[in-house]
């Protein structure tokens, strides 16, 4: 889905969504790159904003110029090529990909298996960047031997957003969000009975129903696709239990209110209006809920993803930078320098961190919202200390999430045709919440058949 925190982390003034990037790819690739007789290394770098986005293109080009000034032995050739699932394989086969490209978390494992990305282990060690990255997030980009094939530069993990004011009115402790789905059900029931508002709500439309059902299934110990993405894997006990929990909150406890057709905008508005006690989201929902929809900052609480029957993990998303498998050692070293400069500098350089924080304050954006860090805990602590004078969000309200999220197991989205799978699962969730007598087992079996047909195409 990649809607929470899939920003390219390129320092652009406007969130640069992978899912929104649709400009026609331009040729990049190894042609024209290499090392000149004078020792200057030239690499192509993707994700240059198109001319139709002049503000972000100007910022990107300025970063390229700044990088070349700081690294006179490296020449960058920026191209507009972006990752696109429908064109990537043909571009890779034709050698038309740039030397550095931003791709979502769902892709590295398949690319590693198909040998479409460079092994960056040695160059990351030589650069010193390897020790600065979050080892938990880095697993997304590693093979079974621990070799590293991509650099994570933006990440999120889904947690539980809750209304602290409704918790207090219901007699619940606002500093102790539920840790299990049994507790979610109990707290939702108490909120509904004590306040008259929906204790819990869940997104159900525009593919968000399948997206959040996937997140919930992970938390119950299940999965959506088998490891190679060739078959559906959700027609089983964990998924049935997840849907049964929703059914019982809606129809037995009557703790989910009347409205059940929510997309991400609708549920954000309802939550900000005080009509919902809890829903699944990531910490960067803060901006939408507080700055855009007017929720009091003090009312927003965020906890980790509740688990059921064990510590199974939560859904994650984000983006990594890959390097062409044909890159030479010198080109890989140049690529890592660019990745550090363009995507990670604010986490590893105090001057860059302070500049970014000041820019955020000036733009009246939230500064210091905790999330799933792409850098290691020690490095992230340094970053937080650098920007501390500029933090403008109530960090204490994020404490339940922050305490758990850094070590909680993270699970990528389904590896194949995730959006089509989510679309097939939307009506399953909608039916369970719209029909008290819904046959959960039958719904899952039918949806699994639909998904198998999509995956087998």
């Amino acid at each position: 889905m990649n809607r929470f925190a899939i920003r390219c982390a390129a320092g652009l003034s406007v969130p640069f969504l992978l899912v929104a990037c649709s400009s026609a790819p331009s040729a990049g690739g190894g042609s024209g790159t290499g090392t000149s007789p004078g020792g200057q290394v030239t690499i192509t770098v993707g994700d240059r904003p198109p001319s139709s986005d002049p503000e972000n293109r100007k910022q990107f080009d300025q970063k390229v110029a700044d990088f070349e000034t700081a690294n006179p032995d490296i020449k960058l050739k920026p191209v507009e090529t972006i990752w696109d699932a429908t064109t990537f394989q043909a571009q890779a086969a034709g050698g038309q990909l740039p030397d550095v490209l931003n791709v979502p978390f769902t892709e590295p494992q398949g690319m590693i298996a198909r040998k479409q990305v460079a092994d960056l282990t040695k160059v990351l060690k030589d650069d010193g960047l390897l020790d600065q990255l979050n080892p938990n997030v880095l697993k997304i980009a590693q093979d079974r031997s621990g070799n590293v094939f991509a650099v994570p530069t933006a990440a999120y993990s889904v947690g539980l957003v809750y209304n602290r004011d409704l918790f207090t009115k219901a007699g619940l402790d606002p500093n102790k969000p539920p840790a299990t789905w049994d507790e979610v059900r109990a707290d939702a029931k108490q909120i509904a009975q004590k306040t008259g508002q929906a204790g819990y709500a869940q997104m159900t439309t525009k593919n968000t129903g399948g997206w959040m059902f996937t997140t919930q299934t992970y938390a119950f110990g299940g999965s959506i696709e088998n490891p190679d993405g060739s078959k559906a894997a959700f027609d089983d006990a964990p998924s049935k239990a997840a849907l049964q929990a929703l059914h019982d909150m809606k129809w037995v406890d009557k703790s989910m209110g009347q409205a059940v057709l929510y997309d991400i905008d609708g549920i954000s508005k309802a939550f900000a209006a005080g009509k919902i006690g809890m829903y699944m989201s990531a910490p960067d929902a803060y901006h939408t809920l507080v700055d855009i929809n007017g929720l009091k900052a003090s009312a927003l609480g965020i906890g980790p993803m509740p688990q059921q029957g064990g510590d199974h993990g939560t859904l994650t998303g984000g983006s990594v930078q890959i390097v062409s498998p044909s890159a030479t050692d010198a080109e890989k070293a140049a690529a890592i320098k660019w990745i550090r400069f363009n995507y990670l500098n604010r986490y590893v350089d105090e001057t860059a961190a302070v500049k970014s924080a000041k820019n955020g304050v000036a733009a009246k954006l939230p500064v210091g919202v905790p999330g799933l860090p792409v850098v290691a805990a020690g490095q992230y602590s340094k970053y937080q200390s650098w920007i501390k004078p500029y933090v403008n969000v109530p960090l204490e309200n994020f404490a339940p999430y922050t305490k758990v999220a850094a070590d909680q197991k993270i699970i990528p989205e389904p590896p194949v045709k995730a959006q089509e799978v989510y679309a097939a699962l939307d009506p399953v969730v909608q039916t369970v919440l719209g029909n008290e007598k819904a046959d959960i087992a039958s719904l899952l079996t039918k949806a699994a058949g639909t998904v198998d047909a999509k995956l087998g195409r």
Side-chain angles (χ1 to χ4, degrees), residues 67 71 74 120-133 151 329-330 332-341 344-345 348:
F67 177 82
N71 299 273
I74 301 174
L120 303 174
T121 310
K122 182 178 184 302
V123 70
L124 281 170
K125 287 181 179 176
D126 292 345
D127 182 88
L129 184 58
L130 188 61
D131 292 337
Q132 294 177 302
L133 296 173
V151 182
D329 287 347
K332 285 192 278 188
I336 294 303
K337 286 187 176 180
W338 165 246
I339 292 168
R340 173 196 283 273
F341 183 88
L344 299 173
N345 232 16
V348 298

Side-chain angles (χ1 to χ4, degrees), residues 258-315:
Q258 296 299 313
V260 295
L261 297 178
Y262 285 119
D263 61 9
I264 193 167
D265 293 327
I267 205 166
S268 297
K269 291 176 180 175
F271 182 86
K275 297 178 179 179
I276 295 172
M278 300 175 280
Y279 76 101
M280 289 184 284
S281 189
D284 66 353
Y286 180 95
H287 178 55
T288 301
L289 296 171
V290 175
D291 299 328
I292 297 177
N293 289 304
L295 177 71
K296 285 191 309 179
S298 61
L300 179 63
I302 299 182
M305 174 54 56
Q307 303 291 295
Q308 191 70 13
D311 189 8
H312 305 296
T314 187
L315 182 143

Side-chain angles (χ1 to χ4, degrees), residues 338-414:
W338 165 246
I339 292 168
R340 173 196 283 273
F341 183 88
N342 190 38
Y343 298 95
L344 299 173
N345 232 16
R346 65 176 172 143
Y347 296 118
V348 298
D349 180 87
E350 182 174 1
T351 300
V354 170
K355 180 180 179 182
S356 175
K358 285 183 174 178
N359 289 342
V361 171
K364 298 182 179 179
L365 294 172
V367 174
V369 173
L372 182 62
V374 293
V375 293
Q379 190 62 45
Y380 194 59
S381 294
K382 286 184 182 177
Y383 162 71
Q384 289 176 308
S385 69
W386 295 335
I387 67 168
K388 187 175 181 180
Y390 311 99
V391 171
N392 56 12
V393 300
L395 292 179
E396 63 276 13
N397 291 10
F398 295 84
Y401 171 89
T402 305
K403 184 178 180 181
V404 174
D407 298 319
Q408 189 169 46
K409 180 182 178 182
I410 50 176
I411 309 171
E413 294 179 277

